[in-house]
Amino acid sequence: MNTHITALSTLSPEQIDQLVALYQDEWWTRGRTRQDVAAMLDGSDYLFAYADQHDRLGAFARIITDGVYKAFIFDVIVRRDLRGSQLGARIMADITTHPKLAGVRHLELYCLPEMQDFYRRFGFGDAISGVSLMRRTHPG
């Protein structure tokens, strides 16, 4: 992995802009606005962000949790030029070993089928019987 990657606890205004740009490159986050992303960041309990030697955002994930029973991982994303650098593995290792998250009963995420093997390396499984992902979409 690139040794010039730095973990961040907050994002600068420029890095928020870079996150919005990263989101535009993916079908699952395309169309997110800066205003909404800033509000999303404020509403997230934990941020896992990583910058390269030029302070450009290289990877990001966020967590929403009650601190006891559930923690949900959202928006794991790695900048295209850093994919294959093990930065995604670093994010997941940092999340799963974080002192405030390690004791949460269920650490959850959802992913595309082609990403399941990656997440299995960190102890995630898809054997959740009797549960269906359901969604209600705001009409606006």
Side-chain angles (χ1 to χ4, degrees):
M1 183 177 68
N2 183 337
T3 58
H4 296 97
I5 296 295
T6 303
L8 308 171
S9 57
T10 60
L11 297 181
S12 69
E14 295 80 16
Q15 289 163 336
I16 295 172
D17 291 338
Q18 294 165 15
L19 178 59
V20 173
L22 282 177
Y23 283 159
Q24 302 317 306
D25 287 340
E26 303 299 332
W27 67 268
W28 49 278
T29 51
R30 191 171 294 126
R32 290 184 180 183
T33 66
R34 186 176 195 301
Q35 180 179 353
D36 287 347
V37 169
M40 172 204 78
L41 293 170
D42 287 341
S44 298
D45 296 307
Y46 295 95
L47 303 180
F48 292 82
Y50 304 83
D52 66 16
Q53 65 271 25
H54 304 291
D55 287 329
R56 292 179 303 152
L57 188 65
F60 176 84
R62 64 190 179 98
I63 310 292
I64 297 173
T65 184
D66 60 23
V68 177
Y69 300 109
K70 301 285 183 184
F72 211 103
I73 303 169
F74 291 100
D75 298 344
V76 178
I77 191 166
V78 175
R79 201 173 71 211
R80 288 191 189 277
D81 65 311
L82 293 174
R83 291 180 187 172
S85 70
Q86 298 301 307
L87 190 50
R90 178 174 174 185
I91 292 172
M92 294 309 299
D94 288 353
I95 290 170
T96 56
T97 61
H98 187 281
K100 301 273 184 162
L101 298 172
V104 174
R105 185 166 300 161
H106 296 122
L107 187 57
E108 300 177 342
L109 56 80
Y110 55 91
C111 68
L112 294 171
E114 59 264 25
M115 294 302 296
Q116 288 178 339
D117 286 342
F118 172 77
Y119 290 112
R120 280 188 183 101
R121 294 177 16 205
F122 301 95
F124 290 84
D126 58 354
I128 305 172
S129 62
V131 176
S132 297
L133 174 65
M134 297 179 71
R135 176 177 289 159
R136 178 177 179 255
T137 302
H138 186 275

